[in-house]
Amino acid sequence: MEISRRLAILIFCGVPAIVGGGIVYAMFGNLTPVWIYEALLLITAGALVSR
């Protein structure tokens, strides 16, 4: 996989990390669910990039 495609995948997953993290925090009011959400997103992005 080309480096430009890998960077595009990481940028594509970075936007949901920022926006989604704020939404999760607003829903639960605690940082623990945000860390879980971010970890799941990181695992998914890592799986996509490693392919």
Side-chain angles (χ1 to χ4, degrees), residues 14-26 34 37-38:
V15 173
I18 295 168
V19 175
I23 292 171
V24 170
Y25 182 77
V34 175
Y37 171 75
E38 298 289 335

Side-chain angles (χ1 to χ4, degrees), residues 5-26:
R5 182 169 168 85
R6 289 182 184 203
L7 289 174
I9 289 172
L10 292 176
I11 290 170
F12 183 74
C13 291
V15 173
I18 295 168
V19 175
I23 292 171
V24 170
Y25 182 77

Side-chain angles (χ1 to χ4, degrees), residues 13-50:
C13 291
V15 173
I18 295 168
V19 175
I23 292 171
V24 170
Y25 182 77
M27 286 174 41
F28 294 102
N30 194 354
L31 285 179
T32 304
V34 175
W35 286 110
I36 294 169
Y37 171 75
E38 298 289 335
L40 292 175
L41 194 60
L42 182 64
I43 290 168
T44 303
L48 288 174
V49 169
S50 69

